[in-house]
């Protein structure tokens, strides 16, 4: 039977991030993709123009439908938006024992437009992170979740430890935004094993949706039965290739090419 993965995230009308990036990434991994949409954004490469909330009970109804009928072998969360949606998602994941779960703790877009209410951060910390097999914060999200400021690669392990203290099995802290480093370095750790993932830092502004793509690729590979470490290595290679083959679309921060490997 084809592996099946679920994304619980927001819709990006621009197609580069959110649900759209996740489903494209699942498809590229030959995984059957399903979705529970948490919010609708009117968004493009220049920013998030409007957000339309989805009722929390309807978010839960989407999770209930796919989990009880089609079955979920791995899932990821992205934009959750509000405290009430955080609760609905946590309840749905727990009720269906959905695992393994990849949590991308989305707080804002690459332009800095908010995608999570301030009063939802505590719920993300207390209810979602403990359910995660791996949580994938960038340095801004680490600061929001833990208060740890990452200024250089040397701070990544302290940041990852602070993330692990919130309950996920693994932390993958993304150093892609760190200035003054010629490499895009991320740190994966479960507190015992620490793995630095390195790739060339590509000189492009077109990185819209890279975090979504990385987390979705991890979930797809877990659905296919890869170990967490193999899934993270493979996902890093997938997102690096997608950034390298950026599509140069739109006037702002453009999308990556999810189909790069077969173009
Ligand atoms: N310019 C770049 N060149 C190579 N790799 C990059 C670059 N920018 C980011 N990455 C890598 O892309 C992956 C996603 O990280 P990033 O920090 O962009 O996520 P993010 O900020 O959560 O993205 P978004 O919220 O826009 O989806 C990481 O593995 C990171 O190292
Ligand atoms: C819907 C959505 N989810 C996540 C991100 C983060 O890239 C975004 N820009 N939009």
């Amino acid at each position: 039977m084809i592996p099946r993965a679920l994304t619980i995230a927001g819709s990006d009308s621009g197609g580069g991030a959110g649900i759209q990036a996740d489903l494209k990434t699942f498809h590229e991994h030959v995984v059957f993709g399903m979705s529970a949409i948490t919010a609708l954004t009117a968004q493009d490469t220049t920013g998030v123009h409007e957000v339309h909330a989805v009722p929390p009970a309807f978010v839960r109804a989407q999770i209930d439908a796919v989990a009880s009928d089609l079955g979920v072998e791995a899932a990821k969360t992205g934009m959750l938006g509000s405290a009430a949606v955080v609760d609905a998602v946590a309840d749905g994941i727990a009720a269906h024992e959905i695992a393994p779960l990849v949590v991308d703790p989305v707080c804002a877009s690459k332009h800095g437009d908010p995608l999570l209410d301030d009063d939802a951060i505590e719920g993300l910390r207390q209810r979602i992170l403990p359910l995660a097999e791996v949580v994938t914060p960038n340095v801004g999200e680490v600061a929001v979740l833990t208060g740890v400021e990452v200024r250089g690669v040397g701070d990544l392990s302290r940041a990852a430890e602070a993330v692990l203290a919130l309950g996920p099995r693994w932390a993958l802290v993304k150093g892609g935004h760190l200035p003054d480093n010629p490499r895009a370095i991320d740190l994966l750790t479960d507190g015992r094993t620490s793995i630095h993932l390195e790739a060339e830092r590509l000189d492009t502004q077109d990185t819209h949706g890279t975090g979504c793509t990385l987390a979705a690729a991890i979930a797809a590979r877990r659905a296919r039965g890869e170990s967490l470490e193999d899934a993270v290595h493979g996902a890093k290679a997938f997102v690096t290739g997608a950034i390298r083959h950026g599509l140069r679309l739109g006037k702002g921060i453009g999308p990556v090419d999810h189909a790069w490997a077969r173009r």
Side-chain angles (χ1 to χ4, degrees):
M1 203 190 280
I2 186 167
R4 283 142 290 137
L6 168 66
T7 168
I8 304 170
S11 166
D12 169 12
S13 53
I19 288 284
Q20 288 79 0
D22 297 342
L23 291 177
K24 289 172 191 180
T25 300
F26 291 165
H27 193 72
E28 289 304 314
H29 285 84
V30 200
V31 164
F32 183 78
M34 301 168 289
S35 60
I37 300 185
T38 56
L40 306 177
T41 71
Q43 184 176 179
D44 54 30
T45 66
T46 70
V48 178
H49 306 297
E50 271 186 61
V51 177
H52 190 66
V54 171
F58 189 74
V59 175
R60 174 65 192 268
Q62 294 171 77
I63 297 172
D64 288 348
V66 300
S68 49
D69 180 42
L70 296 120
V72 175
E73 280 159 321
K76 69 144 281 197
T77 62
M79 172 187 180
L80 297 178
S82 70
V85 169
V86 165
D87 281 337
V89 168
D91 290 344
I93 290 169
H96 297 283
E97 298 179 358
I98 292 173
L101 179 70
V102 181
V103 173
D104 182 10
V106 172
C107 296
S109 76
K110 279 256 156 63
H111 298 88
D113 300 314
L115 297 173
L116 185 72
D117 296 342
D118 288 347
D119 66 1
I121 293 166
E122 203 47 41
L124 183 62
R125 245 189 232 122
Q126 294 197 2
R127 299 213 55 205
I128 304 285
L129 262 54
L131 301 172
E133 177 173 58
V134 60
V135 58
T136 64
N138 61 31
V139 297
E141 290 154 357
V142 165
V144 168
L145 291 170
T146 69
V148 174
E149 298 284 345
V150 178
R151 294 200 178 79
V153 174
D155 296 328
L156 287 176
S157 70
R158 199 165 49 91
E161 275 167 32
V163 173
L164 281 182
L166 297 171
R169 186 113 61 85
W170 292 83
L172 174 61
V173 178
K174 299 174 291 191
H177 296 317
L178 287 174
D180 308 331
N181 200 308
R183 314 282 294 162
I185 302 178
D186 308 329
L187 177 66
L188 174 68
T189 182
D190 65 351
R192 286 169 295 149
T193 308
S194 287
I195 303 164
H196 281 93
L197 294 111
E198 285 199 38
E200 178 193 351
R201 188 190 173 90
L202 299 159
D203 184 19
T204 173
Q205 66 160 0
D206 292 337
T207 58
H208 181 79
T210 47
C212 308
T213 301
L214 177 71
I218 298 170
R221 286 167 180 272
R222 291 291 287 126
R224 292 179 62 102
E226 291 184 18
S227 70
L228 190 275
E229 289 105 309
D230 286 353
V232 170
H233 278 291
K236 174 78 172 172
F238 181 78
V239 75
T240 303
I243 298 169
R244 180 172 285 117
H245 296 85
L247 295 167
R248 274 287 61 239
L249 292 175
K251 300 179 189 68
I253 300 175
V256 299
D257 185 7
H258 297 95
W260 67 274
R262 61 190 166 91
R263 219 180 279 288

